Amino acid sequence: RLATEDLLDRLDDPSVVVREEAVNALGEIGDPAAVPALLSKLENPEVYNTLGIVRALGLIADERALWPLVAMLRDEDRHVRAASARALGEIRGDQAVAALKELIMREKDQQVIANAIEALGETGTAADMWEVLPLLKDVRNPILKRQTALAVANLLGNRDEFYRILAKEKQRPGGEVTRLCRTLTKKLLGRRSSEELKEILARISAVYETGDASSCLNLLWEASHLVARDAYSFDGPQEMLLDIAVLRDSRFAAGVWFLHVLRWQEAPVTMDDVLLALYLVASGEYRDAPRSS
């Protein structure tokens, strides 16, 4: 508290360097007592660094900053909008989620969208994933696309699991793809898992190592159809695959939906796209699938 009081006095220091360092330090300390002063400084952008204050408020994560940060989502500076989105992800709550989703729908800047999606991935639920998945097809920058993919995976509830998969895949290409295929096969054991499906999953592992993302996508789409057949006795056309998936398993449905998006997008499919799609399909629970006798 003594440090906080001293830093609050320094917010009005004549040196811009001291003022900015005081804001940064208040954020690092995280004392909620600093929130009223920081919020008051937002109203004087000529003197105070708005971006630094927004970041500090995000670190403190106090609900009193919620609506001022929501207002910052319409700032002219894209960096301020992006930082405000991240700060709202730290504050969390239904109102923060609603504001982030609204920002994602209206925003044009890809960096801001990616930051908003990442924040939503920290505070949202699996239900929010359906609004985010279609946006992946519009993200062209590979770094931002990977950032968005991580957020989508986090919305499934297994925080940072896909991040670890990406890291391991970078160290040993093909290793995580093979593991995910095996995971899917094990989940379907006893549920009339066919040799045909096992063969396609093995082909996915082999083709993935060649870097042919388009072929991997087609194989994974075919595999998803066989998963529905083996797990849920679905023998309808592929055009109805998403319908049966939504009714049975939201995680499996997310994978099918993403595959559908990838198949119709104009941008080239990447290996990260394939890895995320496989992860979503392999994350299916298949709890109510009929087992073979």
Side-chain angles (χ1 to χ4, degrees):
R1 179 54 58 85
L2 290 175
T4 298
E5 292 176 355
D6 181 57
L7 289 167
L8 288 174
D9 290 338
R10 295 178 185 275
L11 289 178
D12 294 323
D13 194 276
S15 169
V16 64
V17 174
V18 173
R19 293 198 301 271
E20 291 182 354
E21 291 299 330
V23 169
N24 295 338
L26 287 169
E28 292 293 338
I29 292 173
D31 188 347
V35 171
L38 290 173
L39 290 177
S40 69
K41 306 308 180 187
L42 276 179
E43 301 175 2
N44 194 355
E46 292 83 5
V47 176
Y48 299 97
N49 183 347
T50 300
L51 184 59
I53 295 175
V54 166
R55 288 172 174 166
L57 290 170
L59 290 171
I60 298 173
D62 189 287
E63 290 186 355
R64 288 173 292 178
L66 174 67
W67 292 114
L69 287 172
V70 170
M72 289 291 101
L73 294 179
R74 294 187 178 276
D75 193 89
E76 294 181 358
D77 189 331
R78 69 187 182 100
H79 297 292
V80 171
R81 298 199 303 276
S84 299
R86 292 296 306 137
L88 286 171
E90 297 296 331
I91 292 176
R92 306 193 175 191
D94 293 341
Q95 294 172 325
V97 169
L100 288 169
K101 290 166 68 174
E102 182 181 348
L103 174 65
I104 291 169
M105 292 301 108
R106 73 167 185 266
E107 181 62 49
K108 302 300 182 183
D109 187 277
Q110 289 296 320
Q111 183 183 28
V112 177
I113 293 174
N115 279 30
I117 292 175
E118 182 174 346
L120 186 62
E122 294 295 327
T123 189
T125 65
D128 301 312
M129 179 174 54
W130 295 101
E131 298 183 44
V132 176
L133 269 176
L135 300 178
L136 267 173
K137 66 181 177 63
D138 297 322
V139 181
R140 301 300 176 91
N141 185 292
I143 296 177
L144 294 181
K145 190 161 192 174
R146 182 170 291 193
Q147 177 183 346
T148 305
L150 289 173
V152 168
N154 281 343
L155 286 170
L156 285 175
N158 301 321
R159 302 296 182 190
D160 299 325
E161 183 179 49
F162 189 63
Y163 181 87
R164 292 191 292 271
I165 289 174
L166 276 174
K168 291 179 180 178
E169 185 62 29
K170 184 177 181 180
Q171 295 174 352
R172 191 166 65 91
E176 287 302 294
V177 171
T178 299
R179 186 186 65 80
L180 288 171
C181 287
R182 289 174 179 171
T183 296
L184 182 55
T185 301
K186 289 180 180 179
K187 285 185 176 182
L188 295 174
L189 285 177
R191 294 183 172 95
R192 298 185 297 174
S193 182
S194 66
E195 290 299 323
E196 186 179 0
L197 174 59
K198 294 177 183 177
E199 291 176 3
I200 289 181
L201 291 176
R203 288 172 60 192
I204 289 174
S205 296
V207 174
Y208 183 89
E209 294 183 10
T210 70
D212 189 346
S214 180
S215 294
C216 280
L217 172 65
N218 293 331
L219 287 170
L220 190 51
W221 175 256
E222 187 177 350
S224 298
H225 190 259
L226 294 175
V227 168
R229 186 193 68 183
D230 293 347
Y232 303 117
S233 301
F234 173 68
D235 58 359
Q238 290 186 347
E239 291 74 17
M240 295 181 60
L241 180 57
L242 182 59
D243 295 329
I244 188 66
V246 169
L247 292 173
R248 294 289 191 168
D249 188 326
S250 61
R251 292 170 180 261
F252 174 50
V256 172
W257 172 251
F258 186 44
L259 285 168
H260 179 76
V261 169
L262 292 177
R263 293 176 73 225
W264 290 100
Q265 72 176 11
E266 295 181 1
V269 179
T270 68
M271 301 311 291
D272 284 349
D273 290 332
V274 173
L275 188 59
L276 177 60
L278 177 58
Y279 170 76
L280 293 173
V281 173
S283 296
E285 298 176 335
Y286 310 111
R287 289 177 179 174
D288 61 342
R291 293 181 177 273
S292 60
S293 57

